[in-house]
Structures are given as structure tokens and as C-alpha cells.
Amino acid sequence: MRSSEEKTTAMNQELVLDVIRKTYEKGKNNQEITIQKLMEDLIIDLKTCSE
């Protein structure tokens, strides 16, 4: 049986992977977006999902 801390860690990992996946898709689907803009958006999204 998993502890509460392990469950929280697993959920956090899923959130982070989801944010990274969405950023990847955004870059893949928008040829005009810059790496800098993708990184800025990624940082904002990661900060938001951790709150």
C-alpha cells in the first residue's frame, strides 16, 4: 500500500508531465513560436500547477 507522500509525489509527477506534454504540443503545432516563449510559458505553467 502506498503512503500519502508517495501518492502526492505520483500526482505531482503526473501534473509536471502533463504540463511538459502540453508545451511540447504547443511548440509542435505552432511553427512561429520561439524556444524562449515556450520556456517562459513552461515556467509559468509549472509554477501554476505547483500552487
Side-chain angles (χ1 to χ4, degrees):
M1 181 174 269
R2 288 177 153 192
S3 72
S4 176
E5 186 174 315
E6 287 174 329
K7 287 180 185 176
T8 301
T9 300
M11 288 189 317
N12 287 342
Q13 288 174 343
E14 287 180 38
L15 285 172
V16 169
L17 290 174
D18 189 48
V19 168
I20 292 171
R21 189 176 308 113
K22 287 178 182 177
T23 301
Y24 170 78
E25 290 297 324
K26 185 187 300 183
K28 184 177 166 185
N29 295 326
N30 184 346
Q31 299 297 319
E32 296 181 12
I33 197 165
T34 64
I35 297 292
Q36 183 67 35
K37 177 64 175 151
L38 277 175
M39 292 303 297
E40 289 170 0
D41 290 351
L42 177 61
I43 290 168
I44 291 168
D45 290 345
L46 287 171
K47 286 181 180 179
T48 302
C49 84
S50 68
E51 295 176 344

